[in-house]
Amino acid sequence: MVQKMISKEKISDLIKELQKEFKVFGPVKEEGVVLFKEITDAKEICLDYSNSKIPAKSVLFPMIDTLFSYKKEGKGVKIIENPPYEKTVIFGIRPCDSMGFSLFKNFFSFGKYKDPHVLNRLKNITIIGMGCLEPRTTCFCTSVNGGPFNKESVDVLITEFKDNYYLESITDKGEALIKKIKSITDADKGDLAKIEKLQKDIESAIPVIEGLVSIYTKLDGLFDHPMWKMESQGCIGCGACTYLCPTCHCFDVLEENKQDGSGRRIRIWDTCQFPLFTLETSGHNPRTTKLPRVRQRIYHKFNYYPKNYNIIGCVGCGRCIINCPVSSDIRNIFLSVENMSFKTEG
Amino acid sequence: MVINIIDDIEKSIRETAKKLLEEKKVDLIIGYTKGSIPLRSGPCFITDASQTDMLVWNQSCDLNLAKYLAKNDNRKIGIISKGCVGRAIVHLIVEKQLNKENITIIGIPCEGVLNRAKIMVEIGDKEIIEANIEDNKIIIKGKDFNKTLPLQDYINQLCITCHYKIPPIFDIIIGNKKPEKPPKDDFKDLNEIESKSSNDKIEYFKKELNRCIRCYACREACPMCYCSLCFIDQNKPVWFGKTADISDNFIFHMIRAFHVAGRCVSCGTCSSVCPIGIDLNFITRKLEKIVKERFDFESGINLAAPPPMGTHKFDDKQEFMIEED
């Protein structure tokens, strides 16, 4: 482990240094909305944010992802592969959102077929996460095996302390990276203990939903419970909860043909909340109403994922609570499940 | 004080709902309830008279509850209706999408709802932990900040120009005082965008619509979007692109606008529910103006007035038609 620091005002120097070797994605604010974009000007980066509106999954799994392009040539078709993915740094992602990346890795590499697009990106991405000093009241990361300074899925973890950012390497990839950076200096050892205490204090202040990690065992018997009718009656069936979720990864594959004979095959975000998602070619739709669609989102995250992959399909970022047009709160569903309650530690 | 009037309305809503349920005049009350985060509300569906205290009424009640009514629903439903909910019900009856017999409209006067997106831009990315509306001010508290905003500046633009604070038809009306009628709508709020050059207009549209993530919250929250299969979802064959690319976004929002022309009741719900905070009101208002000017029609006001897009008159303006050579 290597511990370094940089003063806040010099952060652009660090970004500029990274840009020499990497494509750097970081949080930027556009029209009041924070999202992850490629940083072209180091000044654009917005680090004074609680969490981005659109999760950084958009870097790994873009809203429109070109799988390949093609062009008709005579009687044949020429396939044009994507250019190789460049070495990339995702800077300033919250630990909850980077936990989501682990899920993507699982999903896109499970079984016989490996998705080259997501996996190649993952291979080329170095994650410089930024600890969360001000978790929102809607956050519940500590209930789903995460935490505001969780180190599990970042290569480097940054913690803001007084006028500095402290960098700690977590993986070998992260260590190799920060050893190369000239604009950072060795960490002030005197502050390290204080930072550790700060991290613990912030983490323990987040309310814990007891038993959420093992909720899948309870859900096993609740598939036909009347609570799903209650929970789904207000849902309008939009995709806000899933599109803004750092773990939702469902997609649709389409082809775009131009009149000049060229085109591309693309993958776009899709969601289990839309009726069309499950409409089969035969015309049969196994999920015709809101109830099974609302239930599917919960079961996929809290029952199927834990059972199939031994991983919880939720990182507790609270975006689905904040952004739901009808103020549906996923935590109420947890509370509806018997014997569960909120508890604040510390 | 505004807050007192609102408190009284809330109390009366609860009492009225309780009475209707107890007397079995309705099977279900559809109203607003508190959201789990400040400045938010959600719908609530009450069948038990002991639960009517869940009902709330305040400036965060932005959904158009008419969305939850359906023609094939045989339950007797009491619906808490601000002006635009009432207008949506009227227009849906005109379009033969609802049966009035089963619906009890509980009218309430509305002073307008908050433009939450505007508040969020003002607050930045900070979390609002507590918010109260007092003396025409929005008092916001966060972890290490306090902010007081003038209420009037953060009311949805469509509410400021709204002429119909109470539903055009109702079975019960709550609130003693009829709200004052605002001055005649001169559509002055559109001056700014209308005076832009074509290029500037397209740039403005692009800037707004480029941010759309295609979650369809606008469509799903709209009481007038009831098609069983939306044009954008047509896939046998595909009619339009479904990506979040600007050209596809533009097509989606513009064609949806055409489809709600002369039908939109200016409730502003499409903008209120947008998770990204895209202001779709600029489209809605323009539609309202065009329909008013060309057809002297306002949707959802008169049960007997045929909607302009569903009728034809020989003196309908058609100067846009290009004559064949």
Side-chain angles (χ1 to χ4, degrees), chain A residues 33 49-50 53 136-137 234 236 239 243 266 276 322 324 326-327 329, chain B residues 36 40-42 45 68 125 127 213-217 220 233 243 275-276:
Chain A
V33 170
Y49 81 111
S50 56
K53 173 72 85 175
R136 295 162 169 161
T137 53
I236 53 171
Y243 281 4
I266 55 169
L276 229 61
I322 298 166
C324 176
V326 298
S327 290
D329 190 328
Chain B
S36 55
R40 297 298 300 263
S41 68
F45 305 85
Y68 295 105
D125 193 54
E127 186 185 22
I213 59 167
R214 299 297 281 268
C215 70
Y216 301 117
E220 299 302 331
D233 287 335
T243 77
I276 307 297

PDB file of all heavy atoms in Angstrom, chain A residues 33 49-50 53 136-137 234 236 239 243 266 276 322 324 326-327 329, chain B residues 36 40-42 45 68 125 127 213-217 220 233 243 275-276:
ATOM      1  N   VAL A  33     -26.830  18.996 -13.561  1.00  0.00           N
ATOM      2  CA  VAL A  33     -26.819  17.541 -13.400  1.00  0.00           C
ATOM      3  C   VAL A  33     -25.376  17.038 -13.435  1.00  0.00           C
ATOM      4  O   VAL A  33     -24.633  17.343 -14.358  1.00  0.00           O
ATOM      5  CB  VAL A  33     -27.650  16.869 -14.522  1.00  0.00           C
ATOM      6  CG1 VAL A  33     -27.466  15.368 -14.527  1.00  0.00           C
ATOM      7  CG2 VAL A  33     -29.120  17.232 -14.382  1.00  0.00           C
ATOM      8  N   TYR A  49     -19.531  17.109  -5.004  1.00  0.00           N
ATOM      9  CA  TYR A  49     -20.829  16.523  -5.343  1.00  0.00           C
ATOM     10  C   TYR A  49     -21.083  15.349  -4.414  1.00  0.00           C
ATOM     11  O   TYR A  49     -20.152  14.744  -3.895  1.00  0.00           O
ATOM     12  CB  TYR A  49     -20.829  16.085  -6.811  1.00  0.00           C
ATOM     13  CG  TYR A  49     -20.172  14.763  -7.099  1.00  0.00           C
ATOM     14  CD1 TYR A  49     -20.932  13.667  -7.490  1.00  0.00           C
ATOM     15  CD2 TYR A  49     -18.799  14.604  -6.968  1.00  0.00           C
ATOM     16  CE1 TYR A  49     -20.347  12.446  -7.750  1.00  0.00           C
ATOM     17  CE2 TYR A  49     -18.204  13.389  -7.236  1.00  0.00           C
ATOM     18  CZ  TYR A  49     -18.969  12.309  -7.625  1.00  0.00           C
ATOM     19  OH  TYR A  49     -18.397  11.110  -7.876  1.00  0.00           O
ATOM     20  N   SER A  50     -22.385  15.050  -4.175  1.00  0.00           N
ATOM     21  CA  SER A  50     -22.661  13.916  -3.293  1.00  0.00           C
ATOM     22  C   SER A  50     -22.580  12.622  -4.095  1.00  0.00           C
ATOM     23  O   SER A  50     -21.812  11.738  -3.766  1.00  0.00           O
ATOM     24  CB  SER A  50     -23.989  14.074  -2.568  1.00  0.00           C
ATOM     25  OG  SER A  50     -25.024  14.259  -3.487  1.00  0.00           O
ATOM     26  N   LYS A  53     -25.828  12.135 -10.838  1.00  0.00           N
ATOM     27  CA  LYS A  53     -27.212  11.770 -11.181  1.00  0.00           C
ATOM     28  C   LYS A  53     -27.198  10.482 -12.013  1.00  0.00           C
ATOM     29  O   LYS A  53     -27.877   9.521 -11.714  1.00  0.00           O
ATOM     30  CB  LYS A  53     -27.833  12.922 -11.978  1.00  0.00           C
ATOM     31  CG  LYS A  53     -29.197  12.670 -12.549  1.00  0.00           C
ATOM     32  CD  LYS A  53     -30.276  12.633 -11.505  1.00  0.00           C
ATOM     33  CE  LYS A  53     -30.794  14.009 -11.178  1.00  0.00           C
ATOM     34  NZ  LYS A  53     -31.919  13.950 -10.237  1.00  0.00           N
ATOM     35  N   ARG A 136     -25.896  10.557   1.741  1.00  0.00           N
ATOM     36  CA  ARG A 136     -27.233  11.151   1.812  1.00  0.00           C
ATOM     37  C   ARG A 136     -28.108  10.333   2.770  1.00  0.00           C
ATOM     38  O   ARG A 136     -27.771   9.186   3.090  1.00  0.00           O
ATOM     39  CB  ARG A 136     -27.887  11.128   0.434  1.00  0.00           C
ATOM     40  CG  ARG A 136     -27.209  11.975  -0.609  1.00  0.00           C
ATOM     41  CD  ARG A 136     -27.699  11.506  -1.972  1.00  0.00           C
ATOM     42  NE  ARG A 136     -27.306  12.409  -3.052  1.00  0.00           N
ATOM     43  CZ  ARG A 136     -27.290  12.059  -4.331  1.00  0.00           C
ATOM     44  NH1 ARG A 136     -27.618  10.834  -4.683  1.00  0.00           N
ATOM     45  NH2 ARG A 136     -26.942  12.914  -5.267  1.00  0.00           N
ATOM     46  N   THR A 137     -29.226  10.909   3.144  1.00  0.00           N
ATOM     47  CA  THR A 137     -30.132  10.179   4.046  1.00  0.00           C
ATOM     48  C   THR A 137     -30.755   8.970   3.342  1.00  0.00           C
ATOM     49  O   THR A 137     -31.308   8.093   3.981  1.00  0.00           O
ATOM     50  CB  THR A 137     -31.261  11.091   4.564  1.00  0.00           C
ATOM     51  OG1 THR A 137     -31.883  11.689   3.427  1.00  0.00           O
ATOM     52  CG2 THR A 137     -30.741  12.177   5.474  1.00  0.00           C
ATOM     53  N   GLY A 234     -48.813   2.394  -7.469  1.00  0.00           N
ATOM     54  CA  GLY A 234     -48.453   3.783  -7.770  1.00  0.00           C
ATOM     55  C   GLY A 234     -47.427   3.905  -8.878  1.00  0.00           C
ATOM     56  O   GLY A 234     -47.251   4.970  -9.456  1.00  0.00           O
ATOM     57  N   ILE A 236     -45.600   4.149 -12.238  1.00  0.00           N
ATOM     58  CA  ILE A 236     -46.109   4.538 -13.556  1.00  0.00           C
ATOM     59  C   ILE A 236     -45.433   3.736 -14.669  1.00  0.00           C
ATOM     60  O   ILE A 236     -45.790   3.855 -15.834  1.00  0.00           O
ATOM     61  CB  ILE A 236     -45.970   6.059 -13.806  1.00  0.00           C
ATOM     62  CG1 ILE A 236     -44.534   6.539 -13.569  1.00  0.00           C
ATOM     63  CG2 ILE A 236     -46.964   6.840 -12.946  1.00  0.00           C
ATOM     64  CD1 ILE A 236     -44.285   7.982 -13.999  1.00  0.00           C
ATOM     65  N   GLY A 239     -38.595   4.137 -16.679  1.00  0.00           N
ATOM     66  CA  GLY A 239     -37.324   3.448 -16.464  1.00  0.00           C
ATOM     67  C   GLY A 239     -36.343   4.225 -15.608  1.00  0.00           C
ATOM     68  O   GLY A 239     -35.148   3.907 -15.592  1.00  0.00           O
ATOM     69  N   TYR A 243     -32.562   2.905 -15.132  1.00  0.00           N
ATOM     70  CA  TYR A 243     -31.557   3.603 -15.946  1.00  0.00           C
ATOM     71  C   TYR A 243     -30.546   4.322 -15.050  1.00  0.00           C
ATOM     72  O   TYR A 243     -29.388   4.460 -15.409  1.00  0.00           O
ATOM     73  CB  TYR A 243     -32.227   4.606 -16.892  1.00  0.00           C
ATOM     74  CG  TYR A 243     -32.814   3.950 -18.124  1.00  0.00           C
ATOM     75  CD1 TYR A 243     -32.802   2.564 -18.275  1.00  0.00           C
ATOM     76  CD2 TYR A 243     -33.367   4.705 -19.156  1.00  0.00           C
ATOM     77  CE1 TYR A 243     -33.331   1.959 -19.400  1.00  0.00           C
ATOM     78  CE2 TYR A 243     -33.899   4.105 -20.291  1.00  0.00           C
ATOM     79  CZ  TYR A 243     -33.884   2.737 -20.406  1.00  0.00           C
ATOM     80  OH  TYR A 243     -34.397   2.130 -21.518  1.00  0.00           O
ATOM     81  N   ILE A 266     -25.924  -1.673 -32.654  1.00  0.00           N
ATOM     82  CA  ILE A 266     -25.740  -0.980 -31.379  1.00  0.00           C
ATOM     83  C   ILE A 266     -26.457  -1.706 -30.238  1.00  0.00           C
ATOM     84  O   ILE A 266     -27.379  -2.477 -30.462  1.00  0.00           O
ATOM     85  CB  ILE A 266     -26.248   0.486 -31.441  1.00  0.00           C
ATOM     86  CG1 ILE A 266     -27.705   0.550 -31.902  1.00  0.00           C
ATOM     87  CG2 ILE A 266     -25.347   1.342 -32.315  1.00  0.00           C
ATOM     88  CD1 ILE A 266     -28.343   1.907 -31.735  1.00  0.00           C
ATOM     89  N   LEU A 276     -42.423  -3.957 -23.234  1.00  0.00           N
ATOM     90  CA  LEU A 276     -41.796  -4.485 -24.446  1.00  0.00           C
ATOM     91  C   LEU A 276     -40.578  -5.360 -24.154  1.00  0.00           C
ATOM     92  O   LEU A 276     -40.190  -6.188 -24.967  1.00  0.00           O
ATOM     93  CB  LEU A 276     -41.360  -3.308 -25.337  1.00  0.00           C
ATOM     94  CG  LEU A 276     -41.780  -3.389 -26.795  1.00  0.00           C
ATOM     95  CD1 LEU A 276     -43.283  -3.423 -26.924  1.00  0.00           C
ATOM     96  CD2 LEU A 276     -41.209  -2.220 -27.582  1.00  0.00           C
ATOM     97  N   ILE A 322     -34.399   8.650  -4.816  1.00  0.00           N
ATOM     98  CA  ILE A 322     -34.357  10.086  -5.120  1.00  0.00           C
ATOM     99  C   ILE A 322     -35.073  10.410  -6.427  1.00  0.00           C
ATOM    100  O   ILE A 322     -35.740  11.424  -6.543  1.00  0.00           O
ATOM    101  CB  ILE A 322     -32.891  10.568  -5.205  1.00  0.00           C
ATOM    102  CG1 ILE A 322     -32.182  10.370  -3.865  1.00  0.00           C
ATOM    103  CG2 ILE A 322     -32.793  12.023  -5.658  1.00  0.00           C
ATOM    104  CD1 ILE A 322     -30.667  10.507  -3.937  1.00  0.00           C
ATOM    105  N   CYS A 324     -37.363   8.524  -8.267  1.00  0.00           N
ATOM    106  CA  CYS A 324     -38.649   7.935  -8.645  1.00  0.00           C
ATOM    107  C   CYS A 324     -39.702   9.031  -8.798  1.00  0.00           C
ATOM    108  O   CYS A 324     -39.931   9.811  -7.877  1.00  0.00           O
ATOM    109  CB  CYS A 324     -39.114   6.938  -7.600  1.00  0.00           C
ATOM    110  SG  CYS A 324     -40.749   6.288  -7.988  1.00  0.00           S
ATOM    111  N   VAL A 326     -42.794   8.912  -8.638  1.00  0.00           N
ATOM    112  CA  VAL A 326     -43.931   8.802  -7.726  1.00  0.00           C
ATOM    113  C   VAL A 326     -43.484   8.557  -6.285  1.00  0.00           C
ATOM    114  O   VAL A 326     -44.270   8.122  -5.439  1.00  0.00           O
ATOM    115  CB  VAL A 326     -44.925   7.707  -8.178  1.00  0.00           C
ATOM    116  CG1 VAL A 326     -45.492   8.050  -9.547  1.00  0.00           C
ATOM    117  CG2 VAL A 326     -44.287   6.334  -8.217  1.00  0.00           C
ATOM    118  N   SER A 327     -42.189   8.837  -6.009  1.00  0.00           N
ATOM    119  CA  SER A 327     -41.644   8.724  -4.655  1.00  0.00           C
ATOM    120  C   SER A 327     -41.773   7.337  -4.049  1.00  0.00           C
ATOM    121  O   SER A 327     -42.027   7.199  -2.866  1.00  0.00           O
ATOM    122  CB  SER A 327     -42.321   9.724  -3.706  1.00  0.00           C
ATOM    123  OG  SER A 327     -41.918  11.004  -4.032  1.00  0.00           O
ATOM    124  N   ASP A 329     -40.235   4.157  -2.506  1.00  0.00           N
ATOM    125  CA  ASP A 329     -38.991   4.028  -1.746  1.00  0.00           C
ATOM    126  C   ASP A 329     -38.699   2.545  -1.530  1.00  0.00           C
ATOM    127  O   ASP A 329     -39.436   1.856  -0.834  1.00  0.00           O
ATOM    128  CB  ASP A 329     -39.170   4.749  -0.397  1.00  0.00           C
ATOM    129  CG  ASP A 329     -37.867   4.875   0.372  1.00  0.00           C
ATOM    130  OD1 ASP A 329     -37.017   3.986   0.239  1.00  0.00           O
ATOM    131  OD2 ASP A 329     -37.722   5.868   1.124  1.00  0.00           O
TER     132      ASP A 329
ATOM    133  N   SER B  36     -40.843  10.097   0.754  1.00  0.00           N
ATOM    134  CA  SER B  36     -39.898   9.841   1.845  1.00  0.00           C
ATOM    135  C   SER B  36     -38.755  10.848   1.862  1.00  0.00           C
ATOM    136  O   SER B  36     -37.944  10.845   2.765  1.00  0.00           O
ATOM    137  CB  SER B  36     -39.383   8.406   1.805  1.00  0.00           C
ATOM    138  OG  SER B  36     -38.824   8.138   0.555  1.00  0.00           O
ATOM    139  N   ARG B  40     -41.155  16.144  -1.829  1.00  0.00           N
ATOM    140  CA  ARG B  40     -41.672  15.107  -2.724  1.00  0.00           C
ATOM    141  C   ARG B  40     -43.000  14.581  -2.201  1.00  0.00           C
ATOM    142  O   ARG B  40     -43.258  14.579  -0.997  1.00  0.00           O
ATOM    143  CB  ARG B  40     -40.693  13.928  -2.810  1.00  0.00           C
ATOM    144  CG  ARG B  40     -39.345  14.267  -3.390  1.00  0.00           C
ATOM    145  CD  ARG B  40     -39.444  14.761  -4.810  1.00  0.00           C
ATOM    146  NE  ARG B  40     -40.044  13.775  -5.689  1.00  0.00           N
ATOM    147  CZ  ARG B  40     -39.343  12.934  -6.451  1.00  0.00           C
ATOM    148  NH1 ARG B  40     -38.053  12.969  -6.453  1.00  0.00           N
ATOM    149  NH2 ARG B  40     -39.959  12.075  -7.228  1.00  0.00           N
ATOM    150  N   SER B  41     -43.822  14.113  -3.132  1.00  0.00           N
ATOM    151  CA  SER B  41     -45.056  13.449  -2.741  1.00  0.00           C
ATOM    152  C   SER B  41     -45.253  12.287  -3.686  1.00  0.00           C
ATOM    153  O   SER B  41     -44.584  12.193  -4.707  1.00  0.00           O
ATOM    154  CB  SER B  41     -46.237  14.414  -2.864  1.00  0.00           C
ATOM    155  OG  SER B  41     -46.456  14.698  -4.234  1.00  0.00           O
ATOM    156  N   GLY B  42     -46.169  11.426  -3.328  1.00  0.00           N
ATOM    157  CA  GLY B  42     -46.477  10.302  -4.205  1.00  0.00           C
ATOM    158  C   GLY B  42     -47.968  10.071  -4.175  1.00  0.00           C
ATOM    159  O   GLY B  42     -48.691  10.715  -3.410  1.00  0.00           O
ATOM    160  N   PHE B  45     -53.427   5.190  -2.310  1.00  0.00           N
ATOM    161  CA  PHE B  45     -54.654   4.499  -2.688  1.00  0.00           C
ATOM    162  C   PHE B  45     -55.273   3.959  -1.411  1.00  0.00           C
ATOM    163  O   PHE B  45     -54.742   3.025  -0.809  1.00  0.00           O
ATOM    164  CB  PHE B  45     -54.317   3.366  -3.668  1.00  0.00           C
ATOM    165  CG  PHE B  45     -53.555   3.853  -4.869  1.00  0.00           C
ATOM    166  CD1 PHE B  45     -52.164   3.987  -4.831  1.00  0.00           C
ATOM    167  CD2 PHE B  45     -54.220   4.218  -6.030  1.00  0.00           C
ATOM    168  CE1 PHE B  45     -51.451   4.468  -5.921  1.00  0.00           C
ATOM    169  CE2 PHE B  45     -53.511   4.704  -7.133  1.00  0.00           C
ATOM    170  CZ  PHE B  45     -52.129   4.825  -7.078  1.00  0.00           C
ATOM    171  N   TYR B  68     -54.188   7.472 -12.905  1.00  0.00           N
ATOM    172  CA  TYR B  68     -54.527   6.207 -12.238  1.00  0.00           C
ATOM    173  C   TYR B  68     -55.978   5.766 -12.456  1.00  0.00           C
ATOM    174  O   TYR B  68     -56.418   4.784 -11.870  1.00  0.00           O
ATOM    175  CB  TYR B  68     -54.230   6.324 -10.733  1.00  0.00           C
ATOM    176  CG  TYR B  68     -52.754   6.513 -10.453  1.00  0.00           C
ATOM    177  CD1 TYR B  68     -52.244   7.754 -10.078  1.00  0.00           C
ATOM    178  CD2 TYR B  68     -51.868   5.454 -10.588  1.00  0.00           C
ATOM    179  CE1 TYR B  68     -50.890   7.941  -9.832  1.00  0.00           C
ATOM    180  CE2 TYR B  68     -50.507   5.625 -10.349  1.00  0.00           C
ATOM    181  CZ  TYR B  68     -50.032   6.861  -9.970  1.00  0.00           C
ATOM    182  OH  TYR B  68     -48.695   7.036  -9.742  1.00  0.00           O
ATOM    183  N   ASP B 125     -25.634  20.409  -5.719  1.00  0.00           N
ATOM    184  CA  ASP B 125     -25.779  18.976  -5.533  1.00  0.00           C
ATOM    185  C   ASP B 125     -25.965  18.595  -4.066  1.00  0.00           C
ATOM    186  O   ASP B 125     -25.850  17.442  -3.690  1.00  0.00           O
ATOM    187  CB  ASP B 125     -24.561  18.262  -6.136  1.00  0.00           C
ATOM    188  CG  ASP B 125     -24.818  16.778  -6.237  1.00  0.00           C
ATOM    189  OD1 ASP B 125     -25.841  16.416  -6.833  1.00  0.00           O
ATOM    190  OD2 ASP B 125     -24.031  16.008  -5.665  1.00  0.00           O
ATOM    191  N   GLU B 127     -27.766  17.811  -0.481  1.00  0.00           N
ATOM    192  CA  GLU B 127     -29.005  17.120  -0.135  1.00  0.00           C
ATOM    193  C   GLU B 127     -29.894  18.011   0.732  1.00  0.00           C
ATOM    194  O   GLU B 127     -29.418  18.631   1.688  1.00  0.00           O
ATOM    195  CB  GLU B 127     -28.710  15.824   0.625  1.00  0.00           C
ATOM    196  CG  GLU B 127     -29.997  15.040   0.859  1.00  0.00           C
ATOM    197  CD  GLU B 127     -29.818  13.790   1.719  1.00  0.00           C
ATOM    198  OE1 GLU B 127     -28.853  13.706   2.475  1.00  0.00           O
ATOM    199  OE2 GLU B 127     -30.702  12.916   1.618  1.00  0.00           O
ATOM    200  N   ILE B 213     -32.660  10.694 -21.229  1.00  0.00           N
ATOM    201  CA  ILE B 213     -32.114   9.333 -21.145  1.00  0.00           C
ATOM    202  C   ILE B 213     -33.130   8.288 -21.599  1.00  0.00           C
ATOM    203  O   ILE B 213     -32.905   7.089 -21.476  1.00  0.00           O
ATOM    204  CB  ILE B 213     -31.604   8.998 -19.724  1.00  0.00           C
ATOM    205  CG1 ILE B 213     -32.730   9.130 -18.678  1.00  0.00           C
ATOM    206  CG2 ILE B 213     -30.404   9.873 -19.348  1.00  0.00           C
ATOM    207  CD1 ILE B 213     -32.401   8.517 -17.335  1.00  0.00           C
ATOM    208  N   ARG B 214     -34.266   8.752 -22.085  1.00  0.00           N
ATOM    209  CA  ARG B 214     -35.304   7.877 -22.622  1.00  0.00           C
ATOM    210  C   ARG B 214     -35.877   6.914 -21.577  1.00  0.00           C
ATOM    211  O   ARG B 214     -36.131   5.744 -21.877  1.00  0.00           O
ATOM    212  CB  ARG B 214     -34.780   7.109 -23.848  1.00  0.00           C
ATOM    213  CG  ARG B 214     -34.358   8.028 -24.968  1.00  0.00           C
ATOM    214  CD  ARG B 214     -35.526   8.830 -25.512  1.00  0.00           C
ATOM    215  NE  ARG B 214     -36.315   8.037 -26.399  1.00  0.00           N
ATOM    216  CZ  ARG B 214     -36.114   7.996 -27.731  1.00  0.00           C
ATOM    217  NH1 ARG B 214     -35.196   8.741 -28.285  1.00  0.00           N
ATOM    218  NH2 ARG B 214     -36.874   7.246 -28.484  1.00  0.00           N
ATOM    219  N   CYS B 215     -36.100   7.434 -20.385  1.00  0.00           N
ATOM    220  CA  CYS B 215     -36.729   6.597 -19.354  1.00  0.00           C
ATOM    221  C   CYS B 215     -38.243   6.616 -19.500  1.00  0.00           C
ATOM    222  O   CYS B 215     -38.941   5.830 -18.882  1.00  0.00           O
ATOM    223  CB  CYS B 215     -36.330   7.079 -17.959  1.00  0.00           C
ATOM    224  SG  CYS B 215     -37.036   8.673 -17.488  1.00  0.00           S
ATOM    225  N   TYR B 216     -38.740   7.556 -20.319  1.00  0.00           N
ATOM    226  CA  TYR B 216     -40.173   7.710 -20.595  1.00  0.00           C
ATOM    227  C   TYR B 216     -41.010   8.061 -19.377  1.00  0.00           C
ATOM    228  O   TYR B 216     -42.210   7.795 -19.349  1.00  0.00           O
ATOM    229  CB  TYR B 216     -40.744   6.458 -21.294  1.00  0.00           C
ATOM    230  CG  TYR B 216     -40.064   6.151 -22.608  1.00  0.00           C
ATOM    231  CD1 TYR B 216     -39.359   4.972 -22.810  1.00  0.00           C
ATOM    232  CD2 TYR B 216     -40.107   7.069 -23.661  1.00  0.00           C
ATOM    233  CE1 TYR B 216     -38.714   4.712 -24.011  1.00  0.00           C
ATOM    234  CE2 TYR B 216     -39.465   6.808 -24.860  1.00  0.00           C
ATOM    235  CZ  TYR B 216     -38.777   5.631 -25.031  1.00  0.00           C
ATOM    236  OH  TYR B 216     -38.145   5.376 -26.209  1.00  0.00           O
ATOM    237  N   ALA B 217     -40.399   8.659 -18.364  1.00  0.00           N
ATOM    238  CA  ALA B 217     -41.179   9.094 -17.201  1.00  0.00           C
ATOM    239  C   ALA B 217     -42.217  10.121 -17.639  1.00  0.00           C
ATOM    240  O   ALA B 217     -43.354  10.112 -17.157  1.00  0.00           O
ATOM    241  CB  ALA B 217     -40.270   9.683 -16.123  1.00  0.00           C
ATOM    242  N   GLU B 220     -45.071   8.218 -19.293  1.00  0.00           N
ATOM    243  CA  GLU B 220     -45.791   7.357 -18.361  1.00  0.00           C
ATOM    244  C   GLU B 220     -46.587   8.152 -17.327  1.00  0.00           C
ATOM    245  O   GLU B 220     -47.559   7.661 -16.774  1.00  0.00           O
ATOM    246  CB  GLU B 220     -44.829   6.399 -17.653  1.00  0.00           C
ATOM    247  CG  GLU B 220     -44.072   5.453 -18.587  1.00  0.00           C
ATOM    248  CD  GLU B 220     -44.984   4.584 -19.445  1.00  0.00           C
ATOM    249  OE1 GLU B 220     -46.104   4.279 -19.018  1.00  0.00           O
ATOM    250  OE2 GLU B 220     -44.562   4.231 -20.575  1.00  0.00           O
ATOM    251  N   ASP B 233     -42.632   2.750 -29.543  1.00  0.00           N
ATOM    252  CA  ASP B 233     -42.377   1.342 -29.236  1.00  0.00           C
ATOM    253  C   ASP B 233     -42.746   0.407 -30.388  1.00  0.00           C
ATOM    254  O   ASP B 233     -42.616  -0.812 -30.275  1.00  0.00           O
ATOM    255  CB  ASP B 233     -43.143   0.928 -27.967  1.00  0.00           C
ATOM    256  CG  ASP B 233     -42.509   1.506 -26.709  1.00  0.00           C
ATOM    257  OD1 ASP B 233     -41.305   1.791 -26.738  1.00  0.00           O
ATOM    258  OD2 ASP B 233     -43.224   1.682 -25.708  1.00  0.00           O
ATOM    259  N   THR B 243     -32.721   5.200 -29.506  1.00  0.00           N
ATOM    260  CA  THR B 243     -31.519   5.536 -28.756  1.00  0.00           C
ATOM    261  C   THR B 243     -31.674   6.901 -28.085  1.00  0.00           C
ATOM    262  O   THR B 243     -32.604   7.651 -28.389  1.00  0.00           O
ATOM    263  CB  THR B 243     -30.276   5.599 -29.666  1.00  0.00           C
ATOM    264  OG1 THR B 243     -30.308   6.827 -30.401  1.00  0.00           O
ATOM    265  CG2 THR B 243     -30.210   4.433 -30.629  1.00  0.00           C
ATOM    266  N   PRO B 275     -36.412  12.843 -14.312  1.00  0.00           N
ATOM    267  CA  PRO B 275     -35.327  12.701 -13.336  1.00  0.00           C
ATOM    268  C   PRO B 275     -34.124  13.591 -13.661  1.00  0.00           C
ATOM    269  O   PRO B 275     -33.331  13.900 -12.777  1.00  0.00           O
ATOM    270  CB  PRO B 275     -34.958  11.217 -13.409  1.00  0.00           C
ATOM    271  CG  PRO B 275     -35.431  10.751 -14.725  1.00  0.00           C
ATOM    272  CD  PRO B 275     -36.632  11.591 -15.068  1.00  0.00           C
ATOM    273  N   ILE B 276     -34.011  13.993 -14.916  1.00  0.00           N
ATOM    274  CA  ILE B 276     -32.864  14.791 -15.333  1.00  0.00           C
ATOM    275  C   ILE B 276     -33.185  16.289 -15.233  1.00  0.00           C
ATOM    276  O   ILE B 276     -32.312  17.134 -15.381  1.00  0.00           O
ATOM    277  CB  ILE B 276     -32.453  14.410 -16.779  1.00  0.00           C
ATOM    278  CG1 ILE B 276     -32.245  12.895 -16.893  1.00  0.00           C
ATOM    279  CG2 ILE B 276     -31.226  15.138 -17.271  1.00  0.00           C
ATOM    280  CD1 ILE B 276     -31.127  12.318 -16.052  1.00  0.00           C
TER     281      ILE B 276
END
